[in-house]
Each structure stands twice: as C-alpha cells, then as structure tokens.
Amino acid sequence: LCTVRRNLSLHRQSPCGASTELGTLRGMISEDDHWPNDVTVDLAVAGKDWFIADYFGQQLLRWREGTGADVVEVAGGNPGNVPGLRLGQLAWPRGIAADS
C-alpha cells in the first residue's frame, strides 16, 4: 500500500503493517493557496516510480524511490480555461494510472 499523507510524506506499507516513509513532496507540488486543507493529488505507483497528479499545480510529477522527483514531460493535453499554463502543463489533472 502506497500513500501520500497529509504532511505530503510518501509512505509504503508492507503486508505485515509496517509503514516506511520514503520521501516527501514538500516544495514540489502546489501548496501555496490551498495548504493544508485543499491540496489535491492523485497517486499511481509502478515499481519504484510514483506518479502524482497535482490538481492545483497543473502538473504531473514522477517521484522515484532513491532519486527524488521530477516533472513528467507531457506531450499533449488540454489547457482548458486556465490562462498562463506553460507547455507541458495540464488543466486540473485528476485520476492517474501507471502500468509497469
């Protein structure tokens, strides 16, 4: 079981119930106007790659165990009604899946 906790720490829980903190998303996702009540992220994990859809930050991140985070390059997408989005950003990304 993999989770993003309220303090933006990333945890992997083993089948026996022990939880290990692997890293954090602090400083990487949009938390300016929304923290701590309305930070909205969706998570998908494939092996050691954690993919995070940052709803308010208009971005997708990949966090790799042992390495850290980087912004996922997005080839396409719909800017919707969000002025000022940079190339590679997505308007209000939600729901994410990963296949290894």
Side-chain angles (χ1 to χ4, degrees):
L1 177 64
C2 298
T3 61
V4 178
R5 296 215 174 148
R6 191 163 179 77
N7 66 356
L8 299 180
S9 61
L10 302 171
H11 287 257
R12 185 182 291 269
Q13 186 170 345
S14 68
C16 66
S19 179
T20 303
E21 182 175 338
L22 301 173
T24 184
L25 295 175
R26 293 300 295 247
M28 295 174 221
I29 70 163
S30 173
E31 50 184 302
D32 300 337
D33 299 327
H34 310 286
W35 184 257
N37 297 318
D38 294 326
V39 171
T40 302
V41 296
D42 287 336
L43 173 68
V45 178
K48 292 188 176 210
D49 289 323
W50 297 47
F51 295 92
I52 299 100
D54 178 7
Y55 183 75
F56 289 113
Q58 321 293 338
Q59 65 181 345
L60 299 175
L61 298 172
R62 180 185 65 196
W63 187 89
R64 179 169 283 164
E65 290 180 35
T67 303
D70 57 354
V71 176
V72 174
E73 184 176 324
V74 178
N78 181 2
N81 292 326
V82 182
L85 287 186
R86 298 179 314 275
L87 183 63
Q89 285 186 297
L90 295 174
W92 316 116
R94 292 296 304 265
I96 187 169
D99 186 8
S100 54

